[in-house]
Amino acid sequence: MKKSNCSLVAAVLRNPRVYVLALAALLAGSMVASAQTKALPQLGKASLQEVLAALTPEEKVKLVIGMGFYPSGFPEGVLPPGNPGDREVPEKVPGAAGRTHAIPRLGIPSLTLSDGPAGVRIDPIRGKDSTKTYYATAFPVATLLASSWDTTLVRKVGAAFGSEVRDFGIDVLLAPGMNIHRNPLGGRNFEYYSEDPVVTGNIAAAFVNGVESNGVGTSIKHFAVNNQEFNRMQLNSKVSERTLREIYLKGFQLAVKKSQPWTVMSSYNKVNGTYTSESKDLLTTLLRQEWGFKGLVMTDWYGGKDAVAQLQAGNDLMMPGTYAQTQAILAALKSGQLTTAQLDTNVLRVLALVLQSPTFKGVKYTSQPALKANATVARQAAAEGMVLLRNEGKALPLAAGRKVAAFGNTSYSLVAGGTGSGDVNKAYTTAIAQGLTSAGFAMNEPLTQAYGQYLKGEKAKLPKTKGLLDPAPVIAEMPVEASLLQQQAQAADVALITIGRSAGEGGDRKVENDFTLTAAEQTLLKQVSAAFHAQGKKVVVVLNVGGVTEVASWRDQADAILLAWQPGQEGGNAVADVLSGKVNPSGKLATTFPVAYKDVPFSGNFPGKELPSTNKAAGNALMGAPSENTYEEGIYVGYRYYNTFKVKPAYEFGYGLSYTTFSYGNLKLGSPSFAGKMTATITVTNNGPTPGKEVVQLYVSAPASRLDKPESELRAFAKTNLLQPGQSQTLTFNLTAADLASFDTPSSAWVVAPGAYTVRVGASCLNIKQTAKFEVPKELIVEKSRKLLAPQEQFADLKPTAQR
């Protein structure tokens, strides 16, 4: 009871004659309080405008600032502090990446946001209760999913993934990552799909639609031009408007239009001098006005510098949220630097997100996802995204019951996925040797024991990981004694060598001993291949990697090479499915494998350079130092470069072998002249001995015009059904003017040049099976824009020699 009411009761006891007056006063106070309670609008029952009007300025600011981030493994003072008291509020899902503030009096709950791109990332143990562990499924990494070229399959993976998001009581999954594979050394390439925006956008849209079919949200990221980890929080990406539009923004545009994700996450870096989270050009003019995005934009964790500028740009939610941001916004409101109208716009988008969330809707969650069923999906996806790079003398598939000698640490310790926010607390990881054993192959016991003992001893020596961004520890390859090797070459039917790589958030890869093989790996490959080939036996190499590696210098020592990527927790079983022929490999490269790193355009300039006369952010290594990188290759990224400049890759974009063969019928176009749209139809037949799927790729070559163009560009793709021997399937592709257009910077317009266009359909960007031509009678203006995100200084993009 309030003090004033206690005093009133005491007065009544001293003088009963005041009873009536006292009772009246008490009733009146109760009625006022009741009226005030009833008068408060509640989210979902009252209009958004009524709820907005009831919020205090302080509450509005709370809604656009997250509740802080408090992961283990970070030294004190590294991460900026959150608002006082937020850390003490119990987490709904321990280990999730962030939360929004609740305003209970208006019926506004707190939302939970969680990583990651290959599986839900949360704490395995809650509180001090170690009797129960909370596991999530480790799905294949994004690069593998894109290598399936199968949007139906990826949607299925997304649906399974989203069911775990829902079952753990999470509202928004901080995925998928959609940045372009600009350079093989990008530290988070495994989280991203492809070097091509058409593959990226369509695969991402399929994933988003699958996840969000569960009534939970996604956050497509990192928007945009975040293609390296080097000083990522202070890196200025200098890039031309055309390159931005055609390469680095196109995938996001496709995903927005085909899936309307709940949220978009702005990136850490600057684009042409402005932090992406502070760019109105990017977040309002382009994303919302031109593309029609309807959701919320959030920052990457601690991204940007100026919270007020972020809100004004259209970045609605500051994550994970800091006390300094709260103070800055309140001060800006008071001074008039930030208008109430602008803050209200940001708040309304937060409220709209809350309204569609499972937490607001009261969805019951169990923290017990369907792990067994989802592991089956993960296994299927892993097998169908693996790429068979080499298969000389039909070394694969392996006959049932064959004796396999498995070499390489990662034959016994699979790299399921990357590190950092892409890591997953999984119940198990199936090693390749384990998968082969389960598939009925005979593994040599002395070799298995030798690797088991070696790995156990070496793992015990590893230092304890320091936290989220700690690099994955690497165990040196086990030297194989000559006597053991000779015994294996005589006893086994085939040798299998697994080469493993790990990478993760916070650092880029290196050329030596990462992109290239280590000296120990080269020695192992040379010794095993010599010993087994001397016995007339085959050697199979499995690449258990997250990104592109060098293969040209050593591939002739292997009879078969299977690119397994980082295939998730069921990786060992999926590898066995492909090696045994249970699954016919149908994956194709969504990123080019160059012969050598020097073949990558402007490879020497990656990942950028630190700017002179600057200091690192208050000595904070996490924040990095001011740096820049110039995207001098322009639109000539990946196969666009290799094809146009006639640089032969080790394995080209779209490449992948099968255990069967396919023939392509005549390519038929809907019309000889383009009138806003065009259909292309082709029939694919399995004319080999084994059931299989084929990825059919449609490229377009444009006529010479005032705009330089790549030799060809992917414009559509499809994967056939599982075709039985002799079975055919007819595929139809639809081309629109937008598919043919290039961005003309001087006129700020998407333009289709007149002239003869060639449609090329094939099994890779170089293995073209059928071609056909059509005419565009006159120049078409597809869409007008305005000057956006323009470079601060002019620089020359790379162009073909004839067009310089």
Side-chain angles (χ1 to χ4, degrees):
M1 187 178 294
K2 292 184 179 179
K3 185 177 180 181
S4 58
N5 287 341
C6 290
S7 300
L8 191 59
V9 171
V12 168
L13 294 174
R14 289 195 303 268
N15 188 354
R17 286 182 295 176
V18 301
Y19 174 78
V20 175
L21 292 175
L23 181 60
L26 285 170
L27 288 174
S30 176
M31 290 172 65
V32 169
S34 177
Q36 288 175 341
T37 302
K38 289 180 179 179
L40 287 176
Q42 298 294 295
L43 186 66
K45 297 178 181 177
S47 70
L48 284 178
Q49 288 298 330
E50 289 175 306
V51 175
L52 185 67
L55 287 163
T56 67
E58 291 76 15
E59 288 172 332
K60 290 178 182 179
V61 174
K62 269 193 167 186
L63 287 173
V64 299
I65 302 290
M67 291 183 66
F69 186 44
Y70 313 102
S72 59
F74 277 89
E76 188 71 26
V78 171
L79 299 178
N83 285 289
D86 283 350
R87 186 169 192 166
E88 283 65 49
V89 178
E91 290 184 302
K92 177 184 177 185
V93 186
R99 299 175 290 167
T100 65
H101 281 100
I103 311 293
R105 71 186 189 89
L106 300 177
I108 303 171
S110 170
L111 302 188
T112 299
L113 291 65
S114 180
D115 295 320
V120 179
R121 190 177 68 84
I122 57 174
D123 283 349
I125 303 297
R126 297 185 176 180
K128 298 181 180 179
D129 182 9
S130 60
T131 63
K132 186 174 183 180
T133 306
Y134 295 84
Y135 295 117
T137 302
F139 292 94
V141 297
T143 304
L144 184 149
L145 294 181
S147 300
S148 75
W149 297 66
D150 189 337
T151 54
T152 301
L153 175 68
V154 174
R155 194 184 196 284
K156 181 179 179 181
V157 171
F161 203 134
S163 72
E164 298 196 9
V165 176
R166 178 199 64 216
D167 291 344
F168 276 117
I170 295 162
D171 298 287
V172 178
L173 175 71
L174 303 173
M178 295 181 57
N179 297 107
I180 293 295
H181 291 175
R182 179 193 177 207
N183 184 291
L185 302 185
R188 295 178 79 174
N189 278 0
F190 69 95
E191 292 187 39
Y192 308 142
Y193 293 118
S194 174
E195 68 188 30
D196 180 80
V198 172
V199 173
T200 296
N202 282 283
I203 295 295
F207 181 81
V208 167
N209 286 330
V211 172
E212 294 192 353
S213 68
N214 292 276
V216 297
T218 58
S219 191
I220 62 174
K221 64 182 189 180
H222 308 90
F223 190 58
V225 204
N226 184 179
N227 306 105
Q228 57 272 313
E229 292 297 279
F230 168 75
N231 284 334
R232 58 183 180 166
M233 301 185 86
Q234 297 198 65
L235 181 75
N236 181 27
S237 300
K238 298 163 64 176
V239 56
S240 69
E241 291 178 82
R242 182 185 178 192
T243 301
L244 269 172
R245 298 273 195 158
E246 292 190 22
I247 304 296
Y248 298 101
L249 298 178
K250 187 70 173 179
F252 285 99
Q253 181 182 16
L254 289 169
V256 166
K257 290 184 179 293
K258 294 189 174 190
S259 67
Q260 274 293 342
W262 286 16
T263 78
V264 169
M265 183 189 294
S266 56
S267 57
Y268 283 127
N269 55 288
K270 299 175 183 178
V271 172
N272 294 329
T274 302
Y275 280 106
T276 61
S277 60
E278 299 173 16
S279 172
K280 192 168 185 176
D281 278 3
L282 184 67
L283 304 184
T284 296
T285 308
L286 186 79
L287 178 63
R288 290 194 166 96
Q289 294 174 4
E290 288 195 12
W291 296 357
F293 176 63
K294 303 183 189 310
L296 171 143
V297 177
M298 71 176 76
T299 63
D300 202 341
W301 269 223
Y302 305 107
K305 294 290 186 183
D306 186 336
V308 175
Q310 289 171 320
L311 292 175
Q312 292 168 332
N315 201 117
D316 310 298
L317 181 60
M318 312 296 116
M319 291 303 297
T322 68
Y323 180 63
Q325 288 171 328
T326 298
Q327 296 302 102
I329 295 172
L330 286 172
L333 267 179
K334 186 175 181 180
S335 70
Q337 180 191 357
L338 178 66
T339 66
T340 300
Q342 175 61 64
L343 180 59
D344 286 353
T345 297
N346 303 116
V347 169
L348 284 171
R349 292 184 187 132
V350 174
L351 294 178
L353 177 66
V354 173
L355 276 172
Q356 62 184 341
S357 69
T359 293
F360 179 78
K361 293 179 178 179
V363 174
K364 302 297 182 184
Y365 63 96
T366 63
S367 295
Q368 296 178 330
L371 295 177
K372 187 174 181 180
N374 293 344
T376 300
V377 174
R379 178 173 178 172
Q380 177 194 358
E384 298 207 17
M386 292 179 183
V387 184
L388 184 61
L389 297 177
R390 182 178 175 90
N391 195 20
E392 298 298 306
K394 296 184 178 179
L396 296 176
L398 300 177
R402 301 286 278 177
K403 298 176 183 177
V404 179
F407 297 89
N409 293 348
T410 40
S411 288
Y412 303 89
S413 182
L414 182 84
V415 182
T419 61
S421 61
D423 200 5
V424 185
N425 181 52
K426 47 204 171 289
Y428 63 88
T429 298
T430 303
I432 292 172
Q434 182 183 352
L436 290 170
T437 299
S438 299
F441 294 100
M443 309 303 293
N444 186 276
E445 192 61 29
L447 189 61
T448 300
Q449 287 182 350
Y451 271 102
Q453 292 172 359
Y454 173 77
L455 290 172
K456 183 178 180 180
E458 292 302 306
K459 286 179 180 178
K461 301 175 187 176
L462 293 175
K464 187 177 180 181
T465 56
K466 299 176 183 177
L468 180 66
L469 303 184
D470 215 19
V474 177
I475 295 175
E477 276 295 338
M478 183 187 84
V480 179
E481 295 180 2
S483 58
L484 179 60
L485 179 56
Q486 289 305 315
Q487 183 266 329
Q488 292 297 307
Q490 293 172 8
D493 298 315
V494 62
L496 182 141
I497 305 171
T498 305
I499 295 171
R501 290 289 184 273
S502 183
E505 184 177 6
D508 294 304
R509 298 171 62 202
K510 305 297 182 185
V511 176
E512 298 299 322
N513 302 323
D514 190 348
F515 178 75
T516 62
L517 296 190
T518 66
E521 289 167 338
Q522 292 174 7
T523 298
L524 178 67
L525 182 59
K526 184 176 181 179
Q527 291 176 340
V528 171
S529 62
F532 275 75
H533 286 157
Q535 299 289 330
K537 296 173 181 179
K538 305 291 188 184
V539 175
V540 177
V541 172
V542 175
L543 293 175
N544 175 202
V545 298
V548 171
T549 58
E550 188 275 323
V551 295
S553 67
W554 57 264
R555 60 184 168 187
D556 288 345
Q557 298 176 66
D559 300 287
I561 302 174
L562 178 65
L563 175 59
W565 294 116
Q566 290 171 343
Q569 68 184 53
E570 283 286 328
N573 288 326
V575 167
D577 289 341
V578 174
L579 295 181
S580 67
K582 179 180 178 180
V583 174
N584 190 344
S586 60
K588 300 287 185 99
L589 292 179
T591 194
T592 303
F593 273 55
V595 170
Y597 180 68
K598 65 179 177 60
D599 292 339
V600 177
F602 295 95
S603 56
N605 295 349
F606 184 88
K609 62 182 180 181
E610 289 192 10
L611 297 175
S613 302
T614 57
N615 298 317
K616 291 192 175 182
N620 191 329
L622 179 71
M623 301 302 176
S627 307
E628 69 178 20
N629 188 286
T630 304
Y631 285 55
E632 296 169 279
E633 69 275 17
I635 61 172
Y636 296 100
V637 178
Y639 72 92
R640 289 171 169 81
Y641 170 77
Y642 297 105
N643 291 2
T644 305
F645 289 82
K646 309 303 179 188
V647 178
K648 184 175 176 58
Y651 296 109
E652 74 270 17
F653 179 81
Y655 174 90
L657 301 176
S658 171
Y659 297 150
T660 192
T661 57
F662 298 92
S663 63
Y664 288 62
N666 291 331
L667 173 62
K668 299 176 182 178
L669 300 183
S671 170
S673 181
F674 186 81
K677 59 182 179 179
M678 174 71 67
T679 59
T681 303
I682 196 163
T683 299
V684 178
T685 302
N686 181 355
N687 56 7
T690 306
K693 300 178 180 180
E694 174 72 334
V695 174
V696 181
Q697 303 156 45
L698 186 150
Y699 299 85
V700 174
S701 296
S705 69
R706 57 190 170 84
L707 288 177
D708 57 293
K709 297 280 286 185
E711 184 268 342
S712 63
E713 295 182 275
L714 182 76
R715 293 309 188 197
F717 63 89
K719 194 166 192 175
T720 67
N721 301 327
L722 183 67
L723 300 179
Q724 299 300 316
Q727 187 178 6
S728 300
Q729 183 177 351
T730 300
L731 300 171
T732 299
F733 301 94
N734 296 300
L735 292 174
T736 67
D739 295 321
L740 306 180
S742 294
F743 190 76
D744 180 47
T745 304
S747 63
S748 294
W750 288 92
V751 177
V752 179
Y757 286 74
T758 303
V759 177
R760 306 173 186 271
V761 175
S764 78
C765 69
L766 296 180
N767 186 10
I768 300 301
K769 304 291 188 179
Q770 296 288 329
T771 63
K773 293 181 181 292
F774 67 88
E775 287 282 335
V776 173
K778 61 181 182 179
E779 182 177 274
L780 302 174
I781 306 298
V782 179
E783 185 179 1
K784 287 287 291 182
S785 182
R786 67 205 84 176
K787 198 168 186 64
L788 297 173
L789 304 159
Q792 295 170 301
E793 58 190 77
Q794 293 303 311
F795 55 89
D797 278 350
L798 177 66
K799 296 184 186 300
T801 304
Q803 296 173 317
R804 287 179 185 270

